[in-house]
Amino acid sequence: MRRILLLTAVAFLALTALATAAVAVGAYLLRDLGPLPPRYSGPPLPRETVVSEMTSILAAEGIAVEREPSGGMRTCHERLSGRHAPETADAAVEAAFARARADHGWQDGPDLGERTLTLTKGNWTVTSRLMGEETSGRPAPVSMVLTCVDEGDAATAPAAPSAPALAPAPASS
């Protein structure tokens, strides 16, 4: 009988310790770390501005692109496509990405692989895949996909940054 009481007491203490540890770990994991950091820095860029900027950057490198209709897709997805001489298509796309970084403030985006170029600016990411050498002699396809982080920001963003709103002065007591 004593053995059963002793085993019951030890089991009770072990379960109590386990429950206390679980509560402590749960409280640690659920602690308030404050607000989340922004998903992007700077003001949101409107899609028309981004499409226009990327079209002009590509045109400066000799790549004429057309904006493909989104076909009912969300406003946060745009596609520019065109054709370029196969011998220089990849070099022209790489030069356009370098121009976007140097002259327009775009930053390198996430690494998506060896033959994929990415840039980010504000709430937008631009991705283009290098095609490699084409031996057919036909113009090589050039494609650029533009996506944004938050559809609401891209659709309603002002064309130019607006003046910051004035906060009311604190009431004196």
Side-chain angles (χ1 to χ4, degrees), residues 9 12-14 18 29 33 42 46 52 66 72 78 80 88-89 91 93 96 99 104 106 123 136 142 149 154 165 172:
F12 176 74
L13 288 174
L18 183 61
L29 293 175
L33 298 175
S52 173
E66 291 184 11
E78 294 290 338
L80 304 175
T88 59
V93 171
R99 180 183 297 269
H104 297 276
W106 288 82
N123 54 328
S136 67
V142 174
V149 172
S172 60

Side-chain angles (χ1 to χ4, degrees), residues 52-65 82-104 117 119 128 130 140 142 144:
S52 173
E53 185 172 272
M54 292 313 295
T55 301
S56 70
I57 290 169
L58 289 167
E61 295 302 328
I63 304 172
V65 292
R83 298 209 168 263
H84 195 272
E87 309 82 38
T88 59
D90 287 350
V93 171
E94 289 173 335
F97 272 63
R99 180 183 297 269
R101 283 190 297 273
D103 298 345
H104 297 276
L117 302 174
L119 293 173
S128 184
L130 299 175
V142 174
M144 186 173 284

Side-chain angles (χ1 to χ4, degrees), residues 30-142:
L30 295 175
R31 72 191 184 281
D32 185 12
L33 298 175
L36 291 173
R39 294 188 291 179
Y40 56 89
S41 62
L45 300 171
R47 73 183 149 130
E48 296 301 325
T49 301
V50 173
V51 168
S52 173
E53 185 172 272
M54 292 313 295
T55 301
S56 70
I57 290 169
L58 289 167
E61 295 302 328
I63 304 172
V65 292
E66 291 184 11
R67 183 179 188 177
E68 292 184 10
S70 53
M73 292 184 78
R74 62 188 202 271
T75 59
C76 270
H77 181 84
E78 294 290 338
R79 185 176 171 99
L80 304 175
S81 62
R83 298 209 168 263
H84 195 272
E87 309 82 38
T88 59
D90 287 350
V93 171
E94 289 173 335
F97 272 63
R99 180 183 297 269
R101 283 190 297 273
D103 298 345
H104 297 276
W106 288 82
Q107 303 294 317
D108 286 327
D111 184 11
L112 300 178
E114 183 179 328
R115 309 240 357 116
T116 303
L117 302 174
T118 58
L119 293 173
T120 60
K121 182 177 180 181
N123 54 328
W124 286 88
T125 300
V126 174
T127 307
S128 184
R129 201 145 161 79
L130 299 175
M131 300 310 285
E133 295 291 323
E134 295 209 9
T135 59
S136 67
R138 293 183 306 187
V142 174

